[in-house]
Every structure is written in C-alpha cells, then in structure tokens.
Amino acid sequence: MLYSDLAGRWALVTGAADGIGFALARSFAEAGANIVLLDIRDDALAEAAAKLADTGVSVRTETADVSDRDAMIALADRLAADDVVPSMLWINAGVGAAAKLSDGKEKAIRWVYDVNLFGTIWTAQAFAPKMIARAGPAHIGVTASSATLVPIDGPFPLYAASKYATAAVGEALLNEMREYDIGVTILCPGLLNTGIWNSGRARPERYGGERQLDDSVGEYWRKAMTPEVIAGPVRETVEAGGGWCVVQTEGDTRDKFEARHTARAAQWTDLSHD
C-alpha cells in the first residue's frame, strides 16, 4: 500500500489519544486519510481530535476498551454500518505495569495481557474480516516494542514479556493476510516520550481501577525522543509491503539484539540427523 492510497479512505488507530498512536494517526491524516481515533479515555480523545483539525480530513472518535472482544466486534459492525471500514488499521493500544511475573498481582498481569496481547487479537478479529471483504488496498499495523528483540531485563518484565507475544501475533497476522494481499507491519520502537509509564490512569475497575503515579516517575521517558520520529520508518515499511519496522532510539539496541541471538546460536542442539 502506498500512502497516496489512503486519500479519502479511513484509517483507524487504537490507543490513539496520545503517544505513538496519535503520531501514527497524524501521519495518516497528513496523507489524506479520514481518521478514527480509538481510545479508552474520553477527554484525551477530544483533545486529540482537536489537534487534527488542521489536517482538513474527517475525524471521528470512539471510546472503547480493546480487551473487551464483544465490544470491539460491535464497534466494527457499527462503523461498517456507517460505511467506515478502515483501509489502514493500526493496532497500537498498549499498557505497562511495573510488576513481576513471579509475584505480580493477578489483576495487574491480566490487565497487561488482556490489552497488549488479547486486545491485539480482538481488534484484528473485529476489523480484518471487513477489510478482507472490502476491495482495495489495505494494511494492518501492530505496535510491539524493541523489548521483543533484546533480553528481558529492567523494571518492566511483565510488559516486555507481553510485547514478545504481541510481536508474535503480528507475525502470525503477516502470514495470514498474505493470501488477501493485505500487508502487515510489526513496529518495534525503542524508548520514546510517551505516557505509557502512567498507563494505570485509565485502568478499568475490573483490573483494580485507576492508579495515578507521581509525575516524577515519568522523568526517564520525558528525556527520550518524541513519537513523531517513527512516522518516516513506518511509511517506508508500509510502502515496501510491510514486515518488521525496528526504530532504534537507544544506541545499544542492535548490540543487545546481536549478542542475544549469538548466545542462542551457541546453545543450539541439533538432533535432526540422529
């Protein structure tokens, strides 16, 4: 798909109220796509829509929880009834929690996986069949993380593990969609200045409810690059037909990636010829 194909068509982005989702939505709007901004936060959606007013495209907002499969399918049906079927679907919604898998609270673990993993699957199930049925160029994007490329360490092992799973779903979709001529891009960005550190501000009650962190916690993220840096690499990958789009924002990501896979190769045991 070329970005010029987006003109006059619809692009839908989940987790679109800010951060990577909003940066992607703006890049699609600037290519002429009409935009559906989907997020769980009403107030943030209204602000995001206002920021796209200068693009001159149609913008509609939808409040939805991607972890709710029935709600996502109902939303896709309702949009299709309005003749809104995305030509560009970007599955971006994601949350983080500073919890360990070994002793983390059940609700925190379920929340991270229900959004990052199952939310990706439910969003694809809701919209991909309608994209397949609708003729014309189409593309699906999945936001994973550079954490899927390097060893899982640091203060967010639960998040990193969930993003490994997200990337695997993206790769599965890439292969599934080939027969329908729909490209799939798996975005693996490095650290960016987003609000993911404060994901708990929008946590539903069934997962423990809202949790606002002190603003000082976000200082580490605020020193990073802004999400707009991903727009160029994403466009190049989409227009090349999709695949992995790794945006390195930290200088040691490639070194960690290569060391990780070198170590794996050294531990390989081949019994296939025994």
Side-chain angles (χ1 to χ4, degrees), residues 100-272:
K100 296 180 180 178
L101 281 84
S102 56
D103 62 3
K105 294 181 179 179
E106 179 186 359
K107 287 184 176 180
I109 292 174
R110 288 192 181 278
W111 176 53
V112 170
Y113 271 84
D114 279 353
V115 174
N116 294 358
L117 173 58
F118 289 105
T120 300
I121 298 170
W122 305 151
T123 304
Q125 286 192 350
F127 290 98
K130 291 176 171 51
M131 297 171 71
I132 292 168
R134 173 68 61 89
H139 200 92
I140 297 172
V142 174
T143 299
S145 169
S146 64
T148 67
L149 309 174
V150 300
I152 296 178
D153 57 15
F156 291 91
L158 172 62
Y159 169 79
S162 74
K163 283 297 187 177
Y164 266 80
T166 303
V169 169
E171 190 166 43
L173 285 171
L174 186 153
N175 287 289
E176 286 184 16
M177 292 297 111
R178 279 200 178 105
E179 66 176 292
Y180 306 109
D181 199 27
I182 295 177
V184 175
T185 292
I186 306 160
L187 173 62
C188 295
L191 182 71
L192 291 169
N193 182 4
T194 71
I196 196 167
W197 60 272
N198 199 20
S199 298
R201 69 193 185 278
R203 186 169 58 183
E205 285 298 325
R206 70 181 184 279
Y207 297 115
E210 178 182 330
R211 184 189 178 196
Q212 280 281 359
L213 297 181
D214 187 275
D215 194 58
S216 62
V217 176
E219 189 60 30
Y220 177 66
W221 281 264
R222 283 191 286 271
K223 294 177 181 178
M225 297 179 186
T226 58
E228 290 76 16
V229 300
I230 65 165
V234 165
R235 178 168 186 161
E236 290 177 8
T237 305
V238 169
E239 293 195 333
W244 292 83
C245 178
V246 181
V247 183
Q248 178 171 308
T249 60
E250 299 154 285
D252 60 352
T253 300
R254 180 181 290 275
D255 292 340
K256 287 181 177 180
F257 171 80
E258 292 177 348
R260 177 174 185 268
H261 288 279
T262 297
R264 278 188 170 182
Q267 295 168 341
W268 192 282
T269 299
D270 187 356
L271 301 178
S272 62

Side-chain angles (χ1 to χ4, degrees), residues 40-131:
I40 199 170
R41 296 169 294 148
D42 284 322
D43 54 345
L45 275 174
E47 293 178 10
K51 291 176 183 176
L52 292 181
D54 63 324
T55 61
V57 302
S58 296
V59 179
R60 62 185 292 170
T61 61
E62 297 290 343
T63 305
D65 180 351
V66 297
S67 70
D68 186 333
R69 181 179 185 272
D70 290 343
M72 291 301 293
I73 291 174
L75 171 63
D77 289 342
R78 180 164 55 82
L79 288 173
D82 287 343
D83 201 31
V84 177
V85 174
S87 295
M88 170 66 76
L89 170 68
W90 204 283
I91 307 172
N92 170 76
V95 297
K100 296 180 180 178
L101 281 84
S102 56
D103 62 3
K105 294 181 179 179
E106 179 186 359
K107 287 184 176 180
I109 292 174
R110 288 192 181 278
W111 176 53
V112 170
Y113 271 84
D114 279 353
V115 174
N116 294 358
L117 173 58
F118 289 105
T120 300
I121 298 170
W122 305 151
T123 304
Q125 286 192 350
F127 290 98
K130 291 176 171 51
M131 297 171 71

